[in-house]
């Protein structure tokens, strides 16, 4: 058994198909000064062909991974339009008299090497995007019409040193059992696409293989555990066949509880809300029996385009979502860009640490024009359903009061225009930074509800960038400091009588459910894909026993002790439930 990193859950079993590294090797070609115009024309033709090809891929991939993930190819289109990237290529052609393909190759190598040297996982993953786009352009310049992934007419597990979104987009989903790469990151575009396609994916195997994987090797990969077996024995194969069968049967049976009320054995009701990126996901939200939408990430409305969405555009999306939910609550989070989410048409100054920089509510309060447009759109949509507003990454009472003042101004404008809206719309905020957590009692007195954003809160409390592979193992939501801070936030909200929920990955981590029940959480907002799994465990849990467990957890000195207590609880539930 070889342990890598799980990037997309599920078990895949089948023969390996290994694709070679996609690299170009050609002699350096010089041109005459009289050929400059011809060489530039070749470059521009190649760019046009590449962009046309990307537009086609983008449209085709929507049927496979959905509208929200197709934006990945907008990032590739943006590279071809990036003035810095293109100026570098043009400069080499014009000043060094090199052929277009030579100039493109030099610039690709330069940018890839530069991004790979940066100690930032996001930037390293963008290096792969540049290589992908550059190689596409080189194919057109060199007149190479061959595919980087030959067509295969039987099921297989695809193995590669690294995989690009373009390569994945050209695969037949019906034959792709799983993905396995030596390099890559769990937040890369390929990982995002794999999860959207429900394809198991294991990566991070560099230096861990005793020999290269060969075509025809029989592989087992577990995308949840991040494990790989190469040509395993019969016992291992039978064990994983049984695990896969049980998992598929369990997933199918979960649909039977979609309409069952989310109530514990001792009658504690917990709202199970869904996190969504798009109105297109609401059908699945309703199909899986969610109580509502606890987090609508509006930044995705801004990403798949080349300009800011208008008020009317946003209003139509928010109104459609509210109407489809038919009275169920929908919490719309205002624009949360910055950090790892950037907009090409809204350039932000380069920052040494963007996660601690100009982002989220800070941008909204600075760019009041942008903020007011969104507030007006949300308010207008509130007339059609149970709409709530939530502000991201709040750190102070002053920020909350500024945002509320702008909301009142937006209400006054709509009233003056005779436009309908809910004058009593509920307003909340996310607790994502330690400063907000420590003054949660102060903030709670200013809002109608709060939601704990565990992803950012954990990494800020522990000073660990969870995207940095070198220290990702230190990102531990079960650290005693995290649990104690969570208790403080929840107690603060309850002391002033407002509801507090949880969003982020920890909300959907089944291991953490006893903690939420024990701390008295009444709302969890999780991904649509894991909602029924959480409900399944919730239905067999006892909230009173969970409170006793939390009392034990709060005196634990290490995360290992906490995880062991949670594991024992899960085993006990399994035995009692007969699973």
């Amino acid at each position: 058994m070889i342990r890598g990193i799980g990037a997309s859950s599920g078990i895949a079993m089948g023969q390996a198909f290994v694709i070679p590294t996609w690299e170009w090797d050609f002699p350096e070609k010089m041109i005459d000064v009289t050929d400059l115009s011809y060489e530039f024309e070749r470059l521009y033709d190649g760019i046009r062909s590449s962009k046309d090809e990307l537009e086609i891929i983008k449209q085709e991939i929507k049927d496979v991974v959905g509208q929200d993930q197709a934006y990945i190819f907008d990032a590739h289109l943006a590279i071809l339009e990036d003035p810095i990237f293109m100026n570098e290529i043009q400069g080499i052609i014009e000043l060094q008299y090199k052929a277009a393909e030579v100039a493109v190759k030099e610039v690709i190598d330069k940018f890839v090497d530069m991004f790979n040297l940066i100690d930032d996982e996001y930037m390293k993953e963008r290096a792969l995007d540049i290589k992908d786009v550059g190689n596409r352009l080189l194919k057109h310049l060199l007149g190479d019409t061959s595919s980087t992934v030959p067509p295969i007419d039987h099921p297989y597990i695809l193995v590669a040193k690294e995989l690009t979104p373009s390569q994945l987009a050209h695969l037949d989903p019906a034959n792709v059992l799983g993905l396995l790469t030596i390099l890559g990151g769990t937040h890369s575009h390929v990982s995002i696409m794999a999860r959207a396609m429900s394809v198991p994916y294991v990566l991070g195997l560099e230096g861990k293989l005793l020999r290269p994987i060969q075509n025809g090797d029989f592989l087992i990969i577990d995308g949840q555990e991040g494990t790989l077996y190469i040509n395993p024995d019969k016992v291992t194969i039978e064990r994983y066949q049984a695990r896969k069968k049980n998992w598929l049967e369990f997933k199918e049976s979960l649909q039977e509880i979609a309409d069952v009320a989310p109530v514990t054995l001792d009658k504690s009701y917990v709202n199970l809300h869904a996190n969504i990126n798009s109105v297109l996901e609401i059908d699945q939200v309703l199909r899986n029996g969610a109580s509502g939408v606890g987090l609508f990430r509006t930044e995705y409305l801004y990403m798949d385009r080349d300009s800011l969405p208008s008020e009317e555009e946003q209003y139509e999306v928010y109104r459609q979502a509210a109407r489809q939910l038919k009275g169920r609550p929908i919490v719309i989070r205002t624009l949360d860009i910055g950090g790892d989410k950037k907009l090409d048409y809204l350039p932000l100054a380069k920052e040494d640490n963007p996660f601690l920089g100009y982002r989220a509510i800070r941008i909204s309060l600075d760019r009041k024009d942008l903020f007011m447009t969104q507030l007006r759109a949300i308010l207008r949509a509130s007339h059609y359903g149970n709409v709530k507003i939530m502000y991201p990454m709040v750190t102070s009472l002053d920020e909350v009061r500024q945002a509320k003042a702008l909301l009142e101004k937006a209400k006054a404008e709509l009233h003056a225009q005779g436009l309908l809206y809910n004058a009593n719309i509920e307003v909340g905020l996310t607790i994502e930074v330690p400063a907000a957590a420590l003054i949660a009692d102060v903030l709670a007195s200013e809002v109608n509800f709060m939601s704990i954003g565990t992803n950012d809160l954990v990494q800020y409390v522990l000073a660990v960038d969870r995207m940095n592979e070198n220290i990702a193992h230190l990102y531990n939501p079960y650290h005693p400091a995290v649990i104690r801070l969570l208790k403080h936030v929840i107690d603060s909200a309850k002391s002033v009588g407002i509801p507090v929920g949880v969003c982020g990955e920890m909300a959907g981590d089944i291991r953490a459910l006893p903690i939420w029940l024990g701390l008295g959480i009444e709302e969890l907002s999780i991904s649509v894909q894991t909602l029924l799994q959480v409900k399944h465990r919730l239905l067999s849990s006892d909230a009173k026993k969970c409170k006793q467990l939390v009392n034990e957890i709060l005196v634990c000195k290490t995360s290992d002790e906490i995880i062991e207590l949670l594991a024992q609880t899960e085993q006990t539930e399994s035995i009692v439930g007969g699973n």
Side-chain angles (χ1 to χ4, degrees):
M1 188 266 282
I2 301 164
R3 185 169 295 280
I5 300 170
S8 179
S9 61
I11 295 171
M13 308 172 68
Q15 288 189 333
F17 179 80
V18 184
I19 59 172
T21 304
W22 189 16
E23 297 289 353
W24 297 97
D25 185 22
F26 46 79
E28 189 163 298
K29 179 183 174 185
M30 305 300 290
I31 60 171
D32 190 88
V33 66
T34 57
D35 293 328
L36 278 176
S37 59
Y38 171 70
E39 214 60 28
F40 278 124
E41 190 56 41
R42 286 184 62 227
L43 175 64
Y44 301 144
D45 282 344
I47 291 170
R48 281 191 290 270
S49 298
S50 298
K51 290 171 74 172
D52 290 345
E53 200 170 61
L54 284 169
E55 288 288 359
I56 293 170
I57 292 172
K58 180 183 166 185
Q59 293 304 315
E60 290 176 346
I61 202 67
K62 283 180 182 178
D63 296 332
V64 180
V65 301
Q67 171 77 29
D68 294 318
Q69 309 310 339
Y71 80 89
I72 288 167
F73 293 96
D74 283 316
H76 287 204
L77 286 163
I79 292 171
L80 289 170
E81 296 169 351
D82 185 273
I84 297 175
F85 183 69
M86 296 314 303
N87 287 343
E88 289 268 353
I89 297 170
Q90 291 167 334
I92 292 173
I93 296 172
E94 186 172 13
L95 300 177
Q96 299 180 35
Y97 303 113
K98 292 184 178 179
E101 61 269 23
V102 177
V104 169
K105 180 69 164 61
E106 284 189 16
V107 173
I108 295 172
D109 292 344
K110 174 184 174 180
F111 277 91
V112 168
D113 290 345
M114 181 174 67
F115 282 131
N116 281 332
L117 287 172
I118 299 173
D119 188 18
D120 181 281
E121 194 59 32
Y122 177 84
M123 299 307 290
K124 288 180 178 177
E125 287 165 1
R126 298 300 74 78
L128 187 58
D129 288 329
I130 290 172
K131 186 186 291 186
D132 193 2
V133 173
N135 280 333
R136 180 177 302 283
L137 180 52
L138 282 173
K139 273 177 54 107
H140 288 292
L141 289 170
L142 294 169
D144 188 338
T145 58
S146 63
S147 171
T148 58
V149 183
I152 315 162
D153 59 1
H154 60 81
Y156 58 89
I157 293 176
L158 189 72
V159 181
K161 180 180 179 182
E162 57 186 355
L163 197 60
T164 68
S166 294
Q167 290 173 305
L168 188 53
H170 282 109
L171 300 175
D172 180 357
N175 285 330
V176 183
L177 300 173
L179 304 173
L180 185 69
T181 60
I182 306 301
L183 306 177
T186 56
H187 298 276
S188 69
H189 285 157
V190 168
S191 294
I192 292 169
M193 289 174 67
R195 289 191 287 270
M197 295 166 68
S198 297
V199 174
Y201 182 20
V202 173
L203 52 83
L205 297 170
E206 189 170 26
K208 298 177 181 179
L209 298 175
L210 297 178
R211 67 164 179 84
I213 295 172
Q214 306 290 330
N215 280 329
D217 280 342
F218 187 84
L219 307 179
I220 298 176
I221 64 172
D222 186 331
Q224 181 69 35
E225 300 293 332
T227 52
L228 160 69
Y229 293 84
I230 304 173
N231 297 320
D233 58 30
K234 184 179 178 182
V235 174
T236 302
I237 292 173
E238 289 175 348
R239 184 172 79 248
Y240 270 89
Q241 284 174 333
R243 282 185 61 182
K244 185 175 181 179
K245 180 173 179 289
N246 291 340
W247 168 243
L248 292 174
E249 289 175 352
F250 174 63
K251 278 184 70 176
E252 190 174 333
S253 70
L254 287 176
Q255 205 60 45
E256 297 173 7
I257 63 171
D259 296 325
V260 176
V263 181
T264 63
L265 293 173
D266 55 342
K267 307 305 178 187
S268 290
Y269 189 94
V270 180
N271 284 300
L272 295 182
H273 291 174
N275 299 332
I276 65 171
N277 302 330
S278 162
V279 70
L280 298 175
E281 297 174 76
I282 291 181
D283 283 343
Q284 193 175 0
V285 168
L286 297 175
R287 198 161 50 246
N288 285 1
S291 310
V293 170
L295 174 61
F296 185 175
R297 302 183 183 95
T298 60
E299 52 271 18
Y300 289 92
L301 275 175
Y302 292 70
M303 287 180 169
D304 189 14
R305 55 191 310 117
D306 55 14
S307 62
L308 288 166
S310 66
E311 177 185 324
E312 204 63 31
E313 227 176 318
Q314 293 187 62
Y315 159 64
E316 287 296 338
V317 171
Y318 304 148
R319 182 181 68 161
Q320 183 183 344
R323 293 178 77 166
Q324 276 187 252
L325 286 167
K326 298 178 180 177
R328 294 178 181 84
I330 175 170
V331 178
I332 300 178
R333 185 178 68 186
T334 57
L335 183 60
D336 186 10
I337 57 166
D340 61 338
K341 293 182 288 245
K342 297 176 174 61
L343 305 177
D344 295 321
Y345 57 85
L346 189 68
L348 304 177
K350 181 172 170 32
E351 298 176 297
D352 290 336
N353 195 334
F355 286 93
L356 299 181
Y358 187 62
R359 58 176 294 204
I361 194 68
R362 298 168 182 175
I363 292 177
S364 293
L365 295 177
D366 184 48
R367 288 290 307 271
K368 293 182 177 60
D369 56 329
L370 187 153
F371 193 36
M372 286 291 288
T373 297
Q374 184 170 36
L375 290 178
R376 284 171 55 93
I378 297 172
L379 280 169
R380 290 172 61 193
S382 69
H383 177 67
Y384 298 91
N386 189 2
V387 175
K388 306 179 185 185
I389 297 176
M390 185 162 70
Y391 304 128
M393 203 184 170
V394 167
T395 59
S396 69
L397 183 60
D398 185 53
E399 288 174 334
V400 179
R401 288 177 172 170
Q402 285 184 61
K404 287 174 69 177
L406 289 169
L407 180 63
E408 290 305 313
K409 182 181 178 183
K411 288 180 181 179
E413 290 178 356
L414 294 178
H415 180 73
Q417 292 176 261
L419 296 173
L420 299 173
Y421 64 92
N422 177 11
N424 299 312
I425 189 170
E426 291 190 16
V427 175
L429 56 86
T430 57
I431 300 289
E432 298 176 84
V433 298
L438 291 169
I439 61 166
D441 55 332
V442 175
L443 297 174
S445 63
E446 288 281 327
V447 293
N448 303 110
F449 65 93
M450 297 196 302
S451 184
I452 303 170
T454 57
N455 295 0
D456 274 343
L457 184 61
V458 172
Q459 72 174 356
Y460 289 140
V461 168
L462 302 181
V464 173
D465 178 1
R466 64 198 185 105
M467 295 187 186
N468 185 332
E469 288 186 5
N470 293 324
I471 57 171
H473 63 284
L474 298 175
Y475 179 88
N476 188 346
Y478 299 99
H479 191 292
V482 173
I483 305 300
R484 293 181 187 187
L485 195 58
L486 291 171
K487 183 179 188 303
H488 170 72
V489 172
I490 295 166
D491 288 348
S492 296
K494 289 183 177 295
S495 70
V496 298
I498 68 166
V500 57
V502 185
C503 57
E505 291 178 11
M506 195 177 176
D509 186 341
I510 295 175
R511 292 179 302 170
L513 183 61
I515 294 177
W516 305 131
L517 293 174
L519 290 173
I521 283 289
E522 297 174 356
E523 178 187 313
L524 295 172
S525 192
I526 53 190
S527 73
V528 181
Q529 289 75 21
T530 59
L531 192 143
L532 289 177
Q533 295 175 52
V534 173
K535 182 186 278 192
H536 181 266
R537 186 172 187 191
L538 174 71
L539 295 174
S540 60
S541 298
D542 186 308
K544 289 176 184 169
K545 290 181 180 178
C546 289
K547 288 177 183 176
Q548 297 170 6
L549 175 67
V550 165
N551 289 333
E552 295 178 49
I553 286 174
L554 288 169
V555 297
C556 288
K557 297 177 181 178
T558 69
S559 56
D560 286 344
E561 292 176 24
I562 293 172
I563 291 169
E564 179 60 29
L565 273 175
L566 292 171
Q568 290 174 10
T569 302
E570 192 169 9
Q571 286 176 346
T572 302
E573 287 179 4
S574 180
I575 293 170
V576 172
N579 295 323

